[in-house]
Amino acid sequence: MSSESNYYVPEKSVLPFAAATGLGIMALGAGLAVQGKTPLILLLGLMMIAVVLFFWFSTVIQENMDGLPSAQLKRSYVMGMGWFIFSEVMFFAAFFGALFYVRVFAVPWLGGEAAIPLIDDFNSEAASTNALLWEGFKAEWPLMINPDQVAGGSTFVGPEHSMSFPGWANWYHWLPLWNTIVLLTSSWTVHVAHHAIKHNNRAKFQRWLGITVALGVIFLYLQYAEYHEAYVEMGLTLESGIYGTTFFMLTGFHGFHVAMGTFMLFVQFMRSFKGHFKSDDQFGFEASSWYWHFVDVVWFGLFIFVYILS
Amino acid sequence: MAHGPAKGIGRWLFATNHKDIGTMYLWFSFAMFLLGGFFAMVIRAELFEPGMQIIKPEFFNQMTTMHGLIMVFGAIMPAFVGLANWLIPMQIGAPDMALPRMNNLSFWILPFGFALLASTLFMEGGAPNFGWTFYAPLSTTYAPPTVNFFIFGIHIIGASSIMGSINIVSTILNLRAPGMTLMKMPLFAWTWLITAFLLIAVMPVLAGAVTMMLMDINFGTSFFNAAGGGDPVLFQHVFWFFGHPEVYIIIIPAFGVISAIIPTFSRKPLFGYSSMVYATSAIAILSFVVWAHHMFTVGMPLAGELYFMYATLLIAVPTGVKVFNWISTMFRGAITYETPMLFAIAFVILFTLGGFTGLMLAIAPADIQYHDSYFVVAHFHYVMVAGAVFSMTAAVYYWLPKWCGRMYNEALGKTQFWISFIGFNVTFFPQHFLGLAGMPRRYADYSLQFTDWNMVSSVGAFIYGASQLLFLYNVISTIRSGEKTDDPKVWEGAEGLEWTLPTPAPFHTFSTPPDVK
């Protein structure tokens, strides 16, 4: 509820229209690019969005330094970021939902079994689906041999190895474990940085924020190494059936979000050298750190459902 | 702070004023409504007689698809966002939306998104032809190449919706005038708060669905392909997890509009205000757990069918609460029948009819007969057209005098109402019969025994289509030359902060917050 006596309403602005134009060009360009036509329009759109975002954030930061926004407007920014993160959660929910559906229902049915025997009267139907369409296909997870292969096709060839835990003898080779440690640590370091700036300790803030950014980069490098190994040595690709599909889409979108989060924190890191942020006003950093914690939580879900329980 | 509207096109391109942005939303959605309506006319002209008369079946499929997409995402949703922009700040005593620049971005994405979507009609392979529900594998394996533009178009339109909703939630939660507690808010603001929450929750799921399609089409994944261990039915689950909340996203703001209009013309406060709030919230929560009632024929386990049937039937309870509250509001009221009230009463009757057919469809064993028939088409047009569009029309007649300081022509308004009402029922009531007799939806041609009711339906559609041109004429002539009014309370029975403002509403309102008792 508002308690301020005056509101802040900005002047008209060219930024949003430019951003919308950039998004329109991007959508057109992306549609062309995925069809193997020119990628230049896509690049143009993306560059336009990047430029507009740069100026947009500069404007907001400048307004804040000039003391224009009221406490109320700042609260709107806080709410905006919170609801944006909620929408991101729901985006991941769609992909987690797909993973659960495939593991609990689709694959067992294709293999001819009832998914949940007590509530599922589907046994006979599933059995005939299996017998008529994919005879010999066996349900398993990670799915190493696809229905297509069983039927003699070669569109979807299953992987040679999965990303599952390799056993205690080789645990230190298992990159996801290291990635989990790196990311969980980074959530803690960003929290230490937050604590530092709240107590006006700029040097400590910069040190711990810098460490967080470095951990983000390490995570991305490890993920790159994991993907490289998957493609080159394990035969695990986007095309290797539903296991590869869910693995790469979930970890890929997460990795993209880590890249975004790292970049956001890096921007805050650079800003700190320009003297931005006060002990009672550091929302640019705070928002980035919330995003970082969100990315961390998603990773925890991935680690459990994609890597461990398989 | 700017004190008045800027001159020239910059006023619109670079707008940060909620009224200007609301106006753009409303005009854009009406343009899309006419475009989608034109597609509907093409469909009804082709279905006037059996056999192929005017267009080819391939093009017919593009018409049904584009009609649905344009109406849902281009006409109805932006229309209510436009209404939210105009009204919510005035109703809660705020000077503007919480995030005015993002508000402009949310709007201006739409023309780009829909230009991209509509331009596919002229591209090689034609526009999307897989129905507005774009089920895989029709929308993946068998889709025209333009499906990629459709996918990215949906992505940016969805981003627009999410930003618009974040703005509305922040406005309502953060910018209410002192003293305006949540339970004192007008119901329209309440319904939009709930709608915006639904939008933020499910538009990302739609983005997920089209992303999975994109990957299956272009990058060899197998989400919806059983050969790789996926499942086409997975698409339907993801889609309807978005899609069912989506239909409430469309209808819940309409509840808010009706809850404003009926008390005004009954000259009584809304009956059961708090139960309205709780009922709307209950509908929203239930909308997340009923999605598979759209999929009774895919071969779900029996336990799933039973669960989704009972959960769906449960929605009738809060919906019934709302309908009875509207009727109780009118009971022993001093009712007058101006155009907005006529549309509101028609809404209550016809929406309830659509709700009843919804109950019929929710009964799993019966639905196996009705599924994908014209009965379904009739059902959802009763809630989409007589529900959402009628309430939108009512809202425009109701608030237009406040917006532009001129009264519409009452006789013309009532004429338009009766033509719409008759045209609508002549179009869609016979489609119940067609569906029960076995005519499937989305077919370009039909068997001879369906001819009579199809002819009736087509005639009704042309009447209804013409009535919308009359509406357009009435709105334009009101804005240009309607009788002037400066009464803050255009309607004597109207309550709420927006009616305390001068008429027409000045460019900036509530630059200092009002005190709400």
Side-chain angles (χ1 to χ4, degrees), chain A residues 1-32 34-35 37 56 59-60 63 71-77 79-81 83-99 101-102 105-107 109-110 119-122 134 137 141 143 146-149 155-156 231 238-246 249-250 253, chain B residues 1-2 6-7 10-11 13-17 93-96 98-102 104-105 108-109 112-113 116 123 145-146 148-149 152-153 155-156 159 162-163 166 169-171 173-182 197 200-202 204-205 207-209 211-212 214-216 218-231 233-234 237-238 241 288 298-304 508 510-514:
Chain A
M1 225 175 293
S2 67
S3 50
E4 282 69 28
S5 56
N6 270 302
Y7 293 107
Y8 167 68
V9 179
E11 297 282 348
K12 67 192 171 76
S13 166
V14 68
L15 291 164
F17 184 75
T21 312
L23 277 169
I25 294 172
M26 183 205 72
L28 173 70
L32 290 170
V34 293
Q35 294 180 57
K37 293 172 188 159
W56 197 324
T59 309
V60 174
E63 282 172 359
Q72 186 175 45
L73 180 65
K74 288 182 183 175
R75 223 159 35 234
S76 292
Y77 287 150
M79 286 181 177
M81 189 67 196
W83 286 102
F84 169 66
I85 290 177
F86 173 59
S87 80
E88 291 271 49
V89 169
M90 292 307 292
F91 182 78
F92 277 99
F95 287 89
F96 272 104
L99 174 70
Y101 180 81
V102 164
F105 296 112
V107 170
W109 284 342
L110 287 172
I119 65 155
D120 190 351
D121 70 329
F122 220 54
W134 315 107
F137 170 69
W141 195 268
L143 188 56
N146 292 311
D148 186 38
Q149 284 168 285
T155 316
F156 299 106
Y231 261 79
L238 275 173
E239 285 115 40
S240 51
I242 195 67
Y243 176 66
T245 297
T246 50
M249 291 306 287
L250 275 160
F253 268 116
Chain B
M1 187 196 282
K7 296 270 180 291
R11 170 177 178 184
L13 295 184
F14 313 133
T16 50
N17 179 284
D96 206 299
L99 304 159
R101 285 176 291 221
M102 194 170 81
N104 177 307
L105 174 58
W108 276 108
I109 287 172
F112 288 102
L116 185 63
M123 289 181 193
T146 53
N148 292 302
F149 296 110
F152 290 110
H155 269 304
I156 63 171
I162 293 170
M163 285 189 278
I166 288 176
V169 172
S170 308
T171 306
L173 293 183
N174 193 27
L175 263 61
R176 275 170 292 128
M180 166 112 18
T181 58
L182 280 174
F197 168 74
I200 301 172
V202 299
V205 177
T211 305
M212 291 177 202
L214 179 79
M215 298 305 289
D216 270 14
N218 298 297
F219 300 99
T221 58
S222 48
F223 282 111
F224 309 134
N225 194 334
D231 189 349
V233 175
L234 169 62
H237 281 291
V238 181
F241 187 84
F288 285 107
V298 299
M300 257 187 290
L302 188 62
H508 286 298
F510 295 125
S511 40
T512 52

Side-chain angles (χ1 to χ4, degrees), chain A residues 47-220:
Chain A
M47 271 165 54
M48 205 166 155
I49 293 167
V51 171
V52 174
L53 283 180
F54 177 82
F55 282 106
W56 197 324
F57 280 111
S58 308
T59 309
V60 174
I61 292 166
Q62 192 57 47
E63 282 172 359
N64 194 39
M65 310 259 275
D66 296 345
L68 257 96
S70 61
Q72 186 175 45
L73 180 65
K74 288 182 183 175
R75 223 159 35 234
S76 292
Y77 287 150
V78 171
M79 286 181 177
M81 189 67 196
W83 286 102
F84 169 66
I85 290 177
F86 173 59
S87 80
E88 291 271 49
V89 169
M90 292 307 292
F91 182 78
F92 277 99
F95 287 89
F96 272 104
L99 174 70
F100 298 153
Y101 180 81
V102 164
R103 286 185 60 171
V104 176
F105 296 112
V107 170
W109 284 342
L110 287 172
E113 316 153 21
I116 305 173
L118 279 177
I119 65 155
D120 190 351
D121 70 329
F122 220 54
N123 237 337
S124 55
E125 286 91 337
S128 57
T129 303
N130 180 262
L132 291 170
L133 291 173
W134 315 107
E135 200 183 359
F137 170 69
K138 283 199 180 56
E140 56 173 348
W141 195 268
L143 188 56
M144 308 302 275
I145 299 166
N146 292 311
D148 186 38
Q149 284 168 285
V150 174
S154 59
T155 316
F156 299 106
V157 178
E160 288 151 38
H161 301 283
S162 77
M163 284 291 170
S164 308
F165 186 56
W168 290 108
N170 291 314
W171 66 272
Y172 50 88
H173 283 307
W174 199 38
L175 289 178
L177 181 66
W178 293 108
N179 262 344
T180 307
I181 294 167
V182 167
L183 217 52
L184 286 181
T185 311
S186 77
S187 232
W188 176 67
T189 55
V190 83
H191 177 74
V192 174
H194 194 181
H195 197 72
I197 191 68
K198 275 187 164 171
H199 289 81
N200 232 346
N201 191 342
R202 185 167 294 265
K204 190 180 176 193
F205 169 67
Q206 286 167 336
R207 194 160 59 240
W208 287 91
L209 183 54
I211 292 172
T212 310
V213 172
L215 287 170
V217 172
I218 291 171
F219 177 91
L220 288 169

Side-chain angles (χ1 to χ4, degrees), chain A residues 232-276:
Chain A
V232 176
E233 288 165 29
M234 302 165 80
L236 178 61
T237 69
L238 275 173
E239 285 115 40
S240 51
I242 195 67
Y243 176 66
T245 297
T246 50
F247 172 77
F248 282 108
M249 291 306 287
L250 275 160
T251 57
F253 268 116
H254 176 265
F256 173 71
H257 281 75
V258 173
M260 293 282 297
T262 307
F263 180 70
M264 282 158 70
L265 289 173
F266 178 68
V267 170
Q268 314 308 325
F269 183 61
M270 299 310 283
R271 281 181 65 193
S272 73
F273 288 100
K274 296 187 83 178
H276 293 195

Side-chain angles (χ1 to χ4, degrees), chain B residues 49-70:
Chain B
E49 284 182 324
M52 298 311 296
Q53 264 65 242
I54 306 168
I55 53 175
K56 294 197 166 72
E58 296 79 22
F59 190 68
F60 184 91
N61 290 344
Q62 297 174 27
M63 286 289 102
T64 52
T65 306
M66 294 296 272
H67 166 73
L69 290 171
I70 296 266

Side-chain angles (χ1 to χ4, degrees), chain B residues 301-321:
Chain B
L302 188 62
E305 302 226 346
L306 289 174
Y307 161 73
F308 282 107
M309 173 171 90
Y310 289 125
T312 304
L313 293 173
L314 215 55
I315 299 176
V317 177
T319 312
V321 168

